[in-house]
Amino acid sequence: MYLRCLLVPTAPGIDATRRLDAALRLGQRLHAHINVSFMAPGPEHVLAGMASLVPMDCATIEAIERGVREAAADGQAALRAWCARQGVPFAASGGRLDATFATWTELSGEVEPLLTLAGRVSDLVLVDQPDPERPFTGRALDTALFSVGRPTLMVGKTLPDDLLDHVMIAWNGSLEATRLIGQSITLLHEAGRVTVVHARTERFEEARAADLCAYLRWHGIVAEAVTREASEPHAVGAAILGEAERRNASLLALGAYTHSRVREFLLGGVTRHVVEHARLPVLMAH
Protein backbone atom coordinates (compact mmCIF):
# COMPACT_ATOMS: atom_id res chain seq x y z
CA MET A 1 0.00 0.00 0.00
CA TYR A 2 1.45 3.34 -1.07
CA LEU A 3 1.23 6.19 1.44
CA ARG A 4 0.67 9.26 -0.73
CA CYS A 5 -1.97 11.24 1.20
CA LEU A 6 -1.02 12.37 4.72
CA LEU A 7 -3.79 13.99 6.77
CA VAL A 8 -3.02 16.49 9.53
CA PRO A 9 -6.30 17.42 11.27
CA THR A 10 -6.30 20.62 13.29
CA ALA A 11 -8.71 22.94 15.06
CA PRO A 12 -8.89 26.38 16.70
CA GLY A 13 -6.14 26.76 19.26
CA ILE A 14 -4.19 23.69 18.09
CA ASP A 15 -0.55 24.05 17.06
CA ALA A 16 0.11 21.53 14.28
CA THR A 17 3.79 22.40 13.78
CA ARG A 18 5.25 19.21 15.23
CA ARG A 19 2.91 17.03 13.19
CA LEU A 20 3.66 19.06 10.08
CA ASP A 21 7.37 18.45 10.67
CA ALA A 22 6.68 14.71 11.02
CA ALA A 23 4.53 14.70 7.88
CA LEU A 24 7.24 16.50 5.93
CA ARG A 25 9.95 14.02 6.99
CA LEU A 26 7.73 11.15 5.87
CA GLY A 27 6.38 12.93 2.82
CA GLN A 28 9.78 13.64 1.34
CA ARG A 29 10.68 9.95 1.63
CA LEU A 30 7.36 8.71 0.29
CA HIS A 31 6.60 11.44 -2.29
CA ALA A 32 3.42 12.16 -0.35
CA HIS A 33 1.41 15.34 -0.04
CA ILE A 34 0.20 16.87 3.22
CA ASN A 35 -3.43 17.86 3.66
CA VAL A 36 -4.04 20.09 6.65
CA SER A 37 -7.74 19.90 7.49
CA PHE A 38 -9.08 22.62 9.79
CA MET A 39 -12.12 21.35 11.72
CA ALA A 40 -14.26 23.77 13.67
CA PRO A 41 -17.79 23.43 15.05
CA GLY A 42 -20.47 25.36 13.22
CA PRO A 43 -22.63 27.91 15.07
CA GLU A 44 -25.35 25.30 15.63
CA HIS A 45 -22.90 23.02 17.46
CA VAL A 46 -21.53 25.85 19.59
CA LEU A 47 -25.02 27.09 20.39
CA ALA A 48 -26.12 23.64 21.48
CA GLY A 49 -23.50 23.71 24.21
CA MET A 50 -24.12 27.34 25.20
CA ALA A 51 -27.92 27.42 25.13
CA SER A 52 -28.27 27.20 28.89
CA LEU A 53 -25.48 29.69 29.60
CA VAL A 54 -26.16 32.75 27.45
CA PRO A 55 -29.13 34.10 25.50
CA MET A 56 -29.02 33.27 21.81
CA ASP A 57 -29.50 36.06 19.27
CA CYS A 58 -28.18 37.13 15.87
CA ALA A 59 -25.27 39.00 17.46
CA THR A 60 -24.17 35.85 19.28
CA ILE A 61 -24.31 33.79 16.11
CA GLU A 62 -22.36 36.43 14.18
CA ALA A 63 -19.72 36.53 16.92
CA ILE A 64 -19.32 32.75 16.77
CA GLU A 65 -19.01 32.77 12.99
CA ARG A 66 -16.50 35.62 13.12
CA GLY A 67 -14.42 33.76 15.71
CA VAL A 68 -14.32 30.62 13.55
CA ARG A 69 -13.34 32.65 10.46
CA GLU A 70 -10.55 34.37 12.38
CA ALA A 71 -9.28 31.07 13.78
CA ALA A 72 -9.29 29.54 10.29
CA ALA A 73 -7.43 32.55 8.87
CA ASP A 74 -4.84 32.30 11.64
CA GLY A 75 -4.44 28.56 11.01
CA GLN A 76 -3.93 29.00 7.29
CA ALA A 77 -1.47 31.84 7.88
CA ALA A 78 0.49 29.59 10.25
CA LEU A 79 0.56 26.85 7.61
CA ARG A 80 1.75 29.25 4.91
CA ALA A 81 4.49 30.52 7.23
CA TRP A 82 5.57 26.94 7.96
CA CYS A 83 5.64 26.16 4.23
CA ALA A 84 7.80 29.23 3.61
CA ARG A 85 10.26 28.21 6.35
CA GLN A 86 10.49 24.63 5.14
CA GLY A 87 10.47 25.35 1.41
CA VAL A 88 7.26 23.36 0.91
CA PRO A 89 4.94 24.49 -1.90
CA PHE A 90 1.50 25.59 -0.72
CA ALA A 91 -1.10 24.43 -3.24
CA ALA A 92 -4.69 25.61 -3.38
CA SER A 93 -5.92 22.20 -4.53
CA GLY A 94 -3.28 19.79 -5.79
CA GLY A 95 0.17 19.43 -7.29
CA ARG A 96 2.49 16.96 -8.96
CA LEU A 97 2.16 13.38 -7.80
CA ASP A 98 5.94 13.01 -7.40
CA ALA A 99 6.32 16.10 -5.19
CA THR A 100 5.62 16.95 -1.57
CA PHE A 101 3.32 19.93 -1.11
CA ALA A 102 0.74 21.12 1.42
CA THR A 103 -2.96 21.84 0.97
CA TRP A 104 -5.49 23.46 3.30
CA THR A 105 -9.16 22.59 3.71
CA GLU A 106 -11.78 23.98 6.08
CA LEU A 107 -14.57 21.80 7.45
CA SER A 108 -17.47 22.76 9.72
CA GLY A 109 -19.04 20.38 12.21
CA GLU A 110 -18.16 17.91 14.95
CA VAL A 111 -14.68 16.40 14.94
CA GLU A 112 -15.72 12.73 14.80
CA PRO A 113 -17.73 12.64 11.56
CA LEU A 114 -15.47 15.16 9.82
CA LEU A 115 -12.26 13.30 10.65
CA THR A 116 -13.84 9.94 9.86
CA LEU A 117 -14.72 10.96 6.30
CA ALA A 118 -11.51 12.90 5.66
CA GLY A 119 -9.38 10.09 7.07
CA ARG A 120 -10.97 7.42 4.91
CA VAL A 121 -9.70 9.18 1.78
CA SER A 122 -6.20 9.53 3.24
CA ASP A 123 -3.42 6.98 3.72
CA LEU A 124 -2.15 8.07 7.12
CA VAL A 125 -3.61 10.31 9.85
CA LEU A 126 -1.20 12.25 12.06
CA VAL A 127 -2.50 13.14 15.52
CA ASP A 128 -1.04 14.59 18.70
CA GLN A 129 -0.44 12.61 21.85
CA PRO A 130 -3.59 13.35 23.88
CA ASP A 131 -3.44 16.38 26.14
CA PRO A 132 -6.22 16.63 28.77
CA GLU A 133 -6.16 20.42 28.43
CA ARG A 134 -6.93 20.16 24.69
CA PRO A 135 -9.95 17.86 24.20
CA PHE A 136 -9.49 17.91 20.43
CA THR A 137 -6.32 15.82 20.76
CA GLY A 138 -8.04 12.93 22.53
CA ARG A 139 -11.07 13.05 20.24
CA ALA A 140 -8.84 13.04 17.16
CA LEU A 141 -6.84 10.02 18.35
CA ASP A 142 -9.96 8.01 19.25
CA THR A 143 -11.65 8.81 15.95
CA ALA A 144 -8.55 8.05 13.89
CA LEU A 145 -8.12 4.67 15.58
CA PHE A 146 -11.71 3.47 15.84
CA SER A 147 -13.53 5.05 12.91
CA VAL A 148 -11.16 5.80 10.04
CA GLY A 149 -9.68 2.40 9.15
CA ARG A 150 -6.28 3.84 8.20
CA PRO A 151 -2.98 3.80 10.11
CA THR A 152 -2.60 6.53 12.73
CA LEU A 153 0.69 8.17 13.65
CA MET A 154 0.68 9.65 17.15
CA VAL A 155 3.30 12.36 17.51
CA GLY A 156 4.53 13.30 20.98
CA LYS A 157 6.94 15.94 22.21
CA THR A 158 10.04 14.20 20.82
CA LEU A 159 10.43 14.01 17.05
CA PRO A 160 13.48 12.19 15.61
CA ASP A 161 15.24 13.73 12.63
CA ASP A 162 14.58 10.50 10.72
CA LEU A 163 11.38 8.74 11.78
CA LEU A 164 12.30 5.69 9.70
CA ASP A 165 15.86 5.26 10.96
CA HIS A 166 14.86 2.35 13.24
CA VAL A 167 11.29 1.06 13.27
CA MET A 168 10.37 -1.25 16.14
CA ILE A 169 7.29 -3.46 15.71
CA ALA A 170 5.47 -4.71 18.80
CA TRP A 171 4.19 -8.05 17.52
CA ASN A 172 1.66 -10.32 19.24
CA GLY A 173 0.02 -12.00 16.26
CA SER A 174 -3.25 -10.09 16.80
CA LEU A 175 -5.65 -8.94 14.13
CA GLU A 176 -4.86 -5.32 14.97
CA ALA A 177 -1.11 -5.83 14.58
CA THR A 178 -1.69 -7.76 11.35
CA ARG A 179 -3.73 -4.90 9.88
CA LEU A 180 -1.00 -2.44 10.79
CA ILE A 181 1.72 -4.49 9.09
CA GLY A 182 -0.33 -4.87 5.93
CA GLN A 183 -1.00 -1.13 5.76
CA SER A 184 2.58 -0.13 6.56
CA ILE A 185 4.75 -2.23 4.23
CA THR A 186 5.73 0.92 2.33
CA LEU A 187 7.04 2.55 5.51
CA LEU A 188 8.91 -0.60 6.51
CA HIS A 189 10.60 -0.73 3.10
CA GLU A 190 11.94 2.77 3.75
CA ALA A 191 13.21 1.94 7.25
CA GLY A 192 16.93 1.84 7.83
CA ARG A 193 16.46 -0.90 10.40
CA VAL A 194 13.51 -3.00 11.59
CA THR A 195 13.21 -4.85 14.90
CA VAL A 196 10.33 -7.11 15.89
CA VAL A 197 9.82 -7.32 19.64
CA HIS A 198 7.79 -10.10 21.30
CA ALA A 199 6.71 -9.84 24.92
CA ARG A 200 6.34 -13.06 26.87
CA THR A 201 2.61 -13.12 27.55
CA GLU A 202 -0.10 -15.76 27.29
CA ARG A 203 -0.03 -15.16 23.50
CA PHE A 204 3.73 -15.66 23.14
CA GLU A 205 3.58 -19.07 21.45
CA GLU A 206 0.83 -17.85 19.12
CA ALA A 207 2.95 -14.87 18.09
CA ARG A 208 6.02 -17.04 17.53
CA ALA A 209 4.01 -19.38 15.30
CA ALA A 210 3.08 -16.41 13.16
CA ASP A 211 6.68 -15.64 12.20
CA LEU A 212 6.60 -11.99 11.20
CA CYS A 213 10.30 -11.82 10.36
CA ALA A 214 9.91 -14.63 7.81
CA TYR A 215 6.91 -12.86 6.31
CA LEU A 216 8.78 -9.56 6.04
CA ARG A 217 11.68 -11.29 4.25
CA TRP A 218 9.27 -12.19 1.44
CA HIS A 219 8.78 -8.45 1.04
CA GLY A 220 12.48 -7.69 0.99
CA ILE A 221 12.57 -6.42 4.58
CA VAL A 222 15.20 -7.86 6.92
CA ALA A 223 14.09 -7.67 10.54
CA GLU A 224 15.71 -8.71 13.81
CA ALA A 225 13.56 -10.50 16.39
CA VAL A 226 13.97 -9.90 20.13
CA THR A 227 12.02 -11.14 23.15
CA ARG A 228 11.25 -9.09 26.24
CA GLU A 229 10.26 -10.55 29.56
CA ALA A 230 7.13 -9.04 31.10
CA SER A 231 6.39 -10.39 34.57
CA GLU A 232 2.75 -9.27 34.47
CA PRO A 233 0.40 -8.59 31.54
CA HIS A 234 0.01 -4.94 32.59
CA ALA A 235 3.82 -4.51 32.37
CA VAL A 236 3.98 -5.27 28.63
CA GLY A 237 3.58 -1.64 27.60
CA ALA A 238 6.43 -0.54 29.84
CA ALA A 239 8.61 -3.41 28.57
CA ILE A 240 8.00 -2.43 24.94
CA LEU A 241 8.76 1.25 25.54
CA GLY A 242 11.85 0.31 27.54
CA GLU A 243 13.13 -1.84 24.69
CA ALA A 244 12.44 0.94 22.18
CA GLU A 245 14.44 3.36 24.29
CA ARG A 246 17.32 0.95 24.81
CA ARG A 247 17.61 0.28 21.08
CA ASN A 248 17.18 3.94 20.07
CA ALA A 249 14.07 3.21 18.03
CA SER A 250 12.81 6.19 16.06
CA LEU A 251 9.27 4.84 15.58
CA LEU A 252 7.15 2.22 17.35
CA ALA A 253 4.52 0.26 15.37
CA LEU A 254 1.74 -1.17 17.54
CA GLY A 255 -1.60 -2.86 16.95
CA ALA A 256 -3.93 -0.77 19.12
CA TYR A 257 -6.50 -2.00 21.63
CA THR A 258 -6.25 -5.75 21.16
CA HIS A 259 -8.48 -5.83 24.25
CA SER A 260 -11.56 -3.63 24.52
CA ARG A 261 -11.11 0.00 25.41
CA VAL A 262 -13.30 -0.46 28.49
CA ARG A 263 -11.04 -3.24 29.76
CA GLU A 264 -7.94 -1.14 29.15
CA PHE A 265 -9.50 1.82 30.97
CA LEU A 266 -10.46 -0.26 33.99
CA LEU A 267 -7.49 -2.61 34.22
CA GLY A 268 -4.78 -0.87 32.26
CA GLY A 269 -3.33 -2.24 29.05
CA VAL A 270 -0.54 -2.06 26.51
CA THR A 271 -2.14 0.57 24.28
CA ARG A 272 -3.19 2.80 27.14
CA HIS A 273 0.28 2.69 28.67
CA VAL A 274 1.97 3.44 25.35
CA VAL A 275 -0.41 6.29 24.51
CA GLU A 276 0.16 7.89 27.91
CA HIS A 277 3.92 7.36 28.22
CA ALA A 278 5.51 7.10 24.76
CA ARG A 279 8.30 9.54 24.03
CA LEU A 280 8.74 8.47 20.41
CA PRO A 281 6.18 8.59 17.58
CA VAL A 282 3.83 5.60 17.59
CA LEU A 283 2.22 4.12 14.47
CA MET A 284 -1.05 2.36 15.34
CA ALA A 285 -4.03 0.61 13.76
CA HIS A 286 -7.10 -0.96 15.33
Side-chain angles (χ1 to χ4, degrees):
M1 173 181 172
Y2 289 104
L3 302 180
R4 304 298 297 275
C5 306
L6 311 182
L7 177 64
V8 178
T10 191
I14 299 297
D15 182 2
T17 302
R18 193 177 297 110
R19 287 181 291 138
L20 287 171
D21 291 343
L24 178 59
R25 294 170 195 184
L26 290 177
Q28 290 176 329
R29 296 277 290 273
L30 303 171
H31 303 292
H33 81 271
I34 304 165
N35 176 25
V36 181
S37 187
F38 178 84
M39 303 175 181
E44 66 277 14
H45 302 99
V46 177
L47 293 174
M50 296 174 57
S52 62
L53 302 177
V54 296
M56 298 295 108
D57 54 26
C58 291
T60 302
I61 295 174
E62 289 175 1
I64 294 170
E65 292 175 337
R66 184 170 60 253
V68 170
R69 287 196 301 271
E70 291 173 355
D74 290 344
Q76 185 176 148
L79 174 61
R80 288 180 178 272
W82 177 84
C83 287
R85 291 194 305 271
Q86 301 294 339
V88 176
F90 180 90
S93 56
R96 291 174 46 149
L97 294 180
D98 61 349
T100 298
F101 56 91
T103 59
W104 171 267
T105 57
E106 295 177 16
L107 302 172
S108 177
E110 293 291 343
V111 172
E112 289 79 4
L114 293 178
L115 180 51
T116 296
L117 294 177
R120 288 178 181 175
V121 289
S122 303
D123 295 317
L124 178 68
V125 182
L126 289 90
V127 301
D128 286 313
Q129 196 164 19
D131 180 350
E133 296 184 2
R134 292 175 172 79
F136 174 84
T137 59
R139 293 173 69 185
L141 175 62
D142 282 352
T143 303
L145 283 179
F146 290 99
S147 300
V148 171
R150 300 291 194 178
T152 299
L153 180 64
M154 185 186 75
V155 180
K157 294 182 179 179
T158 301
L159 186 65
D161 291 333
D162 182 359
L163 276 75
L164 302 180
D165 176 56
H166 180 192
V167 177
M168 176 169 285
I169 303 169
W171 177 245
N172 63 356
S174 68
L175 176 61
E176 293 77 11
T178 301
R179 279 201 186 108
L180 179 61
I181 297 304
Q183 294 176 330
S184 308
I185 287 293
T186 298
L187 282 179
L188 297 177
H189 268 294
E190 293 291 329
R193 178 182 170 197
V194 177
T195 299
V196 176
V197 59
H198 301 75
R200 283 193 182 275
T201 65
E202 69 278 3
R203 302 187 67 167
F204 180 67
E205 294 302 326
E206 174 186 341
R208 280 207 313 181
D211 190 340
L212 181 60
C213 291
Y215 168 79
L216 292 175
R217 279 197 295 272
W218 283 104
H219 289 270
I221 300 165
V222 177
E224 176 189 3
V226 298
T227 299
R228 280 288 293 157
E229 300 294 335
S231 56
E232 299 291 340
H234 66 266
V236 174
I240 290 171
L241 289 179
E243 191 68 19
E245 185 171 351
R246 271 187 293 276
R247 293 177 176 266
N248 295 314
S250 57
L251 179 71
L252 174 64
L254 175 78
Y257 293 103
T258 299
H259 300 292
S260 74
R261 207 165 27 160
V262 173
R263 180 187 184 279
E264 290 229 354
F265 178 78
L266 295 175
L267 303 178
V270 176
T271 308
R272 182 181 175 191
H273 185 92
V274 169
V275 166
E276 292 177 352
H277 298 283
R279 298 179 182 177
L280 76 170
V282 182
L283 184 68
M284 293 181 280
H286 176 68

